[in-house]
Amino acid sequence: MANDSKNFRVESDLLGELQVPANAYYGVQTQRAINNYKISNTRMMDYPEFIIAIAYVKKAAAMANAELGELDPKIAEAICRAADEVIAGKHWDNFPVDMMQGGAGTSVNMNANEVLANLALDIMGYEKGDYQHCSPNDHVNCGQSTNDAYPTAIHYAVIRMNKGLVKSIENLVAALRVKAEEFKDAVKMGRTQLQDAVPMTSGQEFNAYANSLQQEIANIERNVKLLHEINMGATAIGTGLNAAPGYDDLCTLRLSELTGEKFEKASDMIAATPDTGAFVSYSAALKRLAVKLSKMCNDLRLMASGPRCGLHEINLPPMAPGSSIMPGKVNPVIPELMNQVCFKVIGNDTTVCFASEAGQLQLNVMEPVITECLFESMTWLVNAMDTLREKCIKGITVNAKHNLDMVKNSIGIVTALNPYIGYKNSTKIAKEAMETGKSLEEVAIEKGLLTKEQLDEMLDPKAMLEVHKKVK
């Protein structure tokens, strides 16, 4: 017991007493969460932006309460200094709560309250746990509830993480544009429904990928704006019980000033408190990005198929031996990885939708799983896009001669003859060429439809890459 008293301190709450590590800045409610929730093995400390976000929220609340006379200026200053330490990257190991939990985020909120209270006590020269001088509930949580502080912290954490996500998309787009320029003269056969269509260049193809992903930046930025509406001051259900008059506006203003973000108070706090619509919209934007990334990686794997019995249009950088039994086989492991990450993001979006729908009455208690899904999707996407860029896109080469030979041998280029001999005659030529093995040129000349000189000009692959100019 003597050893216990040296290594632990005893704190109490509604449920009774509990030992807390003596050096920990968290307290009894965090310890209960540690004991109760061993679910995901993903903890709050694994998402530093979340820790920073909730520290900003608590600092803004302390500032507002001090200005309104609700909090002793000395205590408020200590809380603000404590928050600054956390924002600066200190004490993050004191946020060990599992991201998956019951209680609508109360454990996360109390983890932050307890850490900041004990840091403030340190600053003021008191012992950890001496909460009469700075209480997690009465002082750090003054004028707040989990139901406004927690979602506001999630909003701001997503906003912060979104900047890194957008940067990763921008970097991937830039890498695709480099390849587009590199492959601008590499003619290949375009395909629809996996059948030969009409010629294009690999440069056009990669530039199309870049443009498609560029659109996702704008879509994500549109949706992240929804997260700037917050409900600080709503307290438990949106009525503002226990918050001082004017606290909601002032806390929102201080949070905006501290973070540089333009936060706005929700126009209807009772509506805003259970509403997770902004999370649904942002998650949908992540899903849309994932769908496009996965489609692009499907294309890369298909174009790299072979090397002798597939399309073999491009070569992906060899990153790992492809088989334990087939010598010489190299698989498209990086695009495969991106596909799987995208599947996870799409699944997470489904979870967000179910969790949002499952909120009842004045609160959505499923916000922890929404939060974990959003954070996981963003983290995985950033890591996967950076890996795709560095270990795949940058090293892609094109098999230009092979691709051009396929174009010249394709039946699909008969489409270029439509304006001269009509669809019906073009169909006859294509059918006979496929049945006899003759070239399109041979069949067209035999039928007296066109001369060799006309065909050479009409079926020049490079001439098919631009807006149609009729041959005279």
Side-chain angles (χ1 to χ4, degrees):
M1 286 300 293
N3 186 51
D4 279 354
S5 64
K6 185 182 296 185
N7 296 325
F8 295 91
R9 67 180 188 269
V10 176
E11 292 193 13
S12 62
D13 61 6
L14 171 69
L15 302 184
E17 293 185 340
L18 200 64
Q19 285 187 329
V20 178
N23 294 326
Y25 283 102
Y26 59 78
V28 60
Q29 292 203 44
T30 302
Q31 187 61 54
R32 290 201 188 282
I34 294 170
N35 296 347
N36 289 339
Y37 309 127
K38 301 179 188 294
I39 306 299
S40 71
N41 288 326
T42 302
R43 297 169 296 176
M44 195 175 172
M45 67 176 72
D46 295 318
Y47 295 112
E49 298 292 3
F50 192 26
I51 297 173
I52 292 170
I54 201 164
Y56 269 114
V57 170
K58 296 298 176 180
K59 182 177 180 179
M63 293 171 67
N65 279 313
E67 291 179 58
L68 294 169
E70 295 294 303
L71 202 56
D72 184 310
K74 180 183 175 182
I75 296 174
E77 182 184 357
I79 293 171
C80 289
R81 285 177 58 189
D84 287 338
E85 289 188 19
V86 172
I87 291 165
K90 298 179 181 179
H91 317 296
W92 289 356
D93 58 341
N94 278 271
F95 292 86
V97 176
D98 196 302
M99 291 293 293
M100 286 302 302
Q101 56 190 260
T106 296
S107 296
V108 165
N109 187 42
M110 287 307 301
N111 192 170
N113 289 337
E114 289 174 344
V115 169
L116 294 179
N118 281 306
L119 283 171
L121 289 171
D122 260 5
I123 290 166
M124 292 188 291
Y126 299 108
E127 295 291 324
K128 295 182 183 68
D130 194 0
Y131 294 138
Q132 62 178 320
H133 301 290
C134 183
S135 162
N137 295 87
D138 295 332
H139 299 118
V140 182
N141 201 60
C142 179
Q144 302 155 63
S145 163
T146 294
N147 304 346
D148 56 2
Y150 178 64
T152 298
I154 301 168
H155 280 222
Y156 183 40
V158 172
I159 290 167
R160 290 179 64 90
M161 293 173 72
N162 182 71
K163 299 180 193 303
L165 177 73
V166 168
K167 184 63 176 176
S168 288
I169 303 172
E170 289 173 341
N171 290 341
L172 181 55
V173 167
L176 289 166
R177 294 207 191 282
V178 169
K179 288 297 165 182
E181 177 63 22
E182 182 181 338
F183 303 152
K184 65 181 180 181
D185 296 321
V187 178
K188 61 162 284 182
M189 179 54 69
R191 294 178 181 82
T192 57
Q193 294 162 277
L194 296 180
Q195 305 298 302
D196 297 353
V198 296
M200 65 186 302
T201 68
S202 292
Q204 289 174 318
E205 192 164 39
F206 275 77
N207 196 53
Y209 294 140
N211 287 333
S212 182
L213 292 180
Q214 186 75 46
Q215 294 173 355
E216 296 317 294
I217 296 174
N219 186 51
I220 285 170
E221 295 286 29
R222 279 194 298 270
N223 281 283
V224 82
K225 288 179 180 177
L226 300 175
L227 295 164
H228 286 80
E229 182 179 282
I230 60 174
N231 71 329
M232 284 302 288
T235 66
I237 64 169
T239 59
L241 180 67
N242 290 350
Y247 165 81
D248 47 5
D249 290 310
L250 187 56
C251 187
T252 301
L253 176 62
R254 292 293 171 259
L255 185 59
S256 297
E257 292 171 345
L258 289 170
T259 63
E261 299 291 341
K262 295 181 179 179
F263 288 108
E264 296 181 1
K265 185 185 77 171
S267 58
D268 184 335
M269 292 291 213
I270 293 178
T273 300
D275 184 16
T276 53
F279 296 140
V280 173
S281 294
Y282 187 80
S283 179
L286 297 180
K287 177 180 69 174
R288 182 173 132 160
L289 169 63
V291 167
K292 287 193 176 184
L293 287 167
S294 192
K295 187 272 180 192
M296 180 180 74
C297 286
N298 290 340
D299 289 356
L300 295 178
R301 292 192 296 119
L302 190 58
M303 289 188 287
S305 62
R308 296 191 177 180
C309 300
L311 295 184
H312 192 47
E313 292 184 354
I314 61 174
N315 306 297
L316 305 181
M319 298 310 300
S323 173
S324 61
I325 191 174
M326 291 175 277
K329 189 168 183 283
V330 178
N331 291 334
V333 293
I334 304 302
E336 290 172 352
L337 169 66
M338 186 81 248
N339 284 133
Q340 293 171 84
V341 168
C342 292
F343 303 158
K344 190 70 162 67
V345 172
I346 293 166
N348 282 348
D349 177 67
T350 301
T351 299
V352 170
C353 290
F354 274 113
S356 182
E357 182 275 336
Q360 295 95 20
L361 304 176
Q362 280 68 59
L363 181 66
N364 190 316
V365 301
M366 309 301 177
E367 283 184 341
V369 76
I370 292 175
T371 306
E372 168 58 19
C373 285
L374 289 175
F375 289 0
E376 183 179 66
S377 291
M378 297 174 80
T379 301
W380 284 33
L381 280 171
V382 168
N383 293 341
M385 285 191 292
D386 291 349
T387 300
L388 180 68
R389 184 188 76 248
E390 290 297 319
K391 296 185 182 297
C392 181
I393 301 300
K394 285 187 174 182
I396 291 175
T397 58
V398 67
N399 298 315
K401 183 180 182 305
H402 169 72
N403 293 347
L404 184 58
D405 288 343
M406 285 202 294
V407 171
K408 291 179 178 179
N409 193 47
S410 170
I411 300 299
I413 58 175
V414 73
T415 303
L417 302 182
N418 281 356
Y420 306 101
I421 61 175
Y423 181 86
K424 190 172 183 179
N425 282 330
S426 297
T427 300
K428 289 179 180 178
I429 291 174
K431 182 179 179 182
E432 186 170 332
M434 285 189 287
E435 290 174 348
T436 63
K438 295 179 181 179
S439 69
L440 295 172
E441 292 93 331
E442 288 177 305
V443 176
I445 291 171
E446 286 175 3
K447 291 185 176 296
L449 295 171
L450 294 164
T451 66
K452 185 177 186 310
E453 291 74 19
Q454 288 175 316
L455 285 163
D456 286 344
E457 189 172 358
M458 293 173 187
L459 299 181
D460 177 6
K462 291 187 178 180
M464 299 183 207
L465 304 176
E466 301 173 355
V467 175
H468 179 68
K469 295 178 182 178
K470 196 164 185 177
V471 176
K472 294 181 180 179

